[in-house]
Amino acid sequence: MTTVLTAPPSGSALPDSADGVRHVIVLGAGLGGLTAAIRLRHRGFRVTLLERHAQPGGRCGLWESNGFRFDTGPTLLLMVDYLRAVFAEVGRPIERYLDLRQLDPNYRVHYADGTTLDVTSRLNGMLEGLERIEPGVGPRFLRFLSETARLYRLGLDGFVDRNVHRRSDAFSPKHAALLLRARAMERLQRLVRRYFRTERLQHTFSFQSLYLGLSPFDAPAIYGLLPYTEVAGGLYFPMGGMHAMPRALARLAEELGVDIRYRHDVRALERSAGRISAIMMADGRRLEADLVVVNADLPYAYETLLGEKHPRIDRLDFSCSAFLMYLGVRRAYPALTHHALVVPRDLRAACSDIFGGRIPSDPPYYLCNPSKTDPSLAPPGCENLYVLVPVPNQQAGRELDWSVAGPKLEEAMLERLERFGLTDLRRHIVARRTFTPADFAHQFSATHGEAFGLAHGIDQVGYFRPHNRHASLGNLYFVGQSTHPGCGIPMVLISSRLVVERIAEEQAVRQ
Ligand SMILES: Cc1cc2nc3c(=O)[nH]c(=O)nc-3n(C[C@H](O)[C@H](O)[C@H](O)COP(=O)(O)OP(=O)(O)OC[C@H]3O[C@@H](n4cnc5c(N)ncnc54)[C@H](O)[C@@H]3O)c2cc1C
């Protein structure tokens, strides 16, 4: 068992013992747990971080094989200012921890008719590419950017980037009026159809809701803010891979004095007198704390760790899942970009399969080749491929046997990738692994094997998403993708800032 125990840095202004200093246990070293731990420690709490796996990052994990280093989860780093903010808040230059590179293009979209579009944050380049697909679209695209910029500000200021657990905060007449005026609740497809005539561009500027595990054909227009963040804010990559991010955060946490303990599986939260009194470890040990912040998936935390059902669990909707393939290949594919999105002939039909419980016969998929930006992620002459296919979650009544479906889908995807242009792919694979919804359930305690946590329909965001503090256990808080504001790296980083602000406010009141 690896236990990493670190003393607070000498000369630190932070209190470092239990003499009057409140002790917080953070359960889970995902990006939410790591950044909550950093922020709490910076505010003077004594912090212990417990993680069941041997490495930090949770879904932002790493798999190494035969000299290949695969990021296992997130690959697109957007809204990078929220990451910079974590380091800035504790007065550390991010450059000392991470080498972030802006990508150009952001990604390449491959359409079924063989045409492509490079989505880039260089406006001229973007306009040129769009004109090739839809002549005359330039001014309409600029108006689309301006409308989605408004949605971005409205979404972030009004609902995402602040605590909304009080009804009065969530339902201000001012924000309701702004939402109505911005047509934020109309269909996303309606929004894109106002600006783009070709189906190709309508898909290009709406598929991003899939990042949240939400069908672009069911999503509300407010999610038009996602393509805006890509074009306006750009896409970044940490050299060393996405997993460099949780590693850097774990290093920062330890430097500040957070006591990180890997391979520490929590089995239960013990309660008494309306509070969590202790954490029970799987090996039988009992750890006491003044406050507990849970980064594990919230429905699992309620059901398994607390032994109670979330009051709305039976009505909660879960995001779709993902079938992932990590392929180390002994050759290069020069035509590939770092990020590529492959759109099928009928995206609507594919989405209706995914969200209706079936694996589509012609699915959209995303292909990542990070060795294009950082060759050190694969041995010389080799490349590192990551394939993500959105697939149904395992919600009751639609469970698939992934021990059968997985190998079939893997073979179908390898064939598809060869047809797509990855010539002789199968002959060149030297490292391979798949990850299925069954693995999400097993490794991350995802209730229905979903990849992206709770769904992000309008009835499950803001005030309607499970709140970041338990309703009756006053010292139990939640951080991460299943609480407010939701899934995705920037959202999870926001969630940690919001929960720490709430803790500071509520615990100051109590003392
Ligand atoms: C395949 C995939 C691709 C994605 N792509 C992107 C992307 O490109 N860009 C983007 O911004 N977002 C992306 N996301 C979403 C993003 O990765 C997540 O929203 C984010 O990483 C979730 O972080 P978290 O801290 O909420 O939870 P997690 O990462 O799930 O962390 C929770 C932690 O709690 C630990 N834990 C759970 N139970 C226990 C227990 N009982 N005892 C101890 N520890 C426990 C887990 O081991 C884990 O480390 C993707 C997600 C997936 C799955």
Side-chain angles (χ1 to χ4, degrees), residues 474-491:
N475 65 343
L476 175 58
Y477 293 85
F478 300 97
V479 68
Q481 65 178 15
S482 32
T483 182
H484 173 68
C487 170
I489 296 165
M491 298 302 116

Side-chain angles (χ1 to χ4, degrees), residues 27-34 50-53 55-60 72-78 211 242 264-267 295-297 300 305 322 324 326 366 386 388 440 443-445 451-452 479-482 486-490 492:
L27 195 171
L31 295 171
L34 285 165
L50 306 175
E51 167 56 49
R52 67 151 65 120
H53 291 299
Q55 59 179 9
R59 283 166 168 86
C60 190
T72 56
T75 51
L76 304 161
L77 180 53
L78 288 160
Y211 297 166
M242 296 293 281
H264 274 55
D265 197 5
V266 173
R267 198 191 61 214
N295 179 216
D297 274 16
Y300 150 81
L305 301 180
L324 294 151
Y326 313 115
Y366 157 78
Y386 162 121
L388 185 156
F440 279 108
Q443 289 207 22
F444 294 110
S445 308
F452 310 102
V479 68
Q481 65 178 15
S482 32
C487 170
I489 296 165
V492 164

Side-chain angles (χ1 to χ4, degrees), residues 6 22 53 74 121 137 142 222 234 277 279 294 319-320 357 382 391 421 443 446 476 480 493 507:
T6 38
R22 313 205 83 200
H53 291 299
S121 296
V137 72
L142 294 178
I222 186 85
S277 44
I279 285 210
V294 172
S319 67
C320 68
C382 298
V391 294
Q443 289 207 22
L476 175 58
L493 301 183
Q507 299 306 319

Side-chain angles (χ1 to χ4, degrees), residues 389-400:
V389 188
V391 294
N393 65 33
Q394 299 278 79
Q395 225 151 343
R398 46 148 85 163
E399 300 95 331
L400 293 170

Side-chain angles (χ1 to χ4, degrees), residues 144-206:
F144 173 74
L145 270 190
S146 143
E147 176 161 358
T148 48
R150 264 202 305 280
L151 289 174
Y152 175 82
R153 279 276 53 101
L154 177 63
L156 269 280
D157 296 347
F159 304 94
V160 170
D161 203 0
R162 63 195 189 98
N163 270 313
V164 288
H165 48 273
R166 281 182 285 254
R167 266 184 180 273
S168 53
D169 292 337
F171 302 108
S172 86
K174 181 180 137 212
H175 283 116
L178 286 172
L179 273 181
L180 278 177
R181 210 170 321 134
R183 294 189 279 195
M185 293 306 143
E186 72 174 4
R187 294 250 162 195
L188 179 57
Q189 289 306 314
R190 227 176 134 170
L191 167 74
V192 290
R193 278 204 299 266
R194 270 208 300 282
Y195 294 98
F196 307 108
R197 294 181 187 140
T198 54
E199 211 172 51
R200 282 175 293 171
L201 294 191
Q202 290 165 9
H203 291 345
T204 302
F205 294 109
S206 61

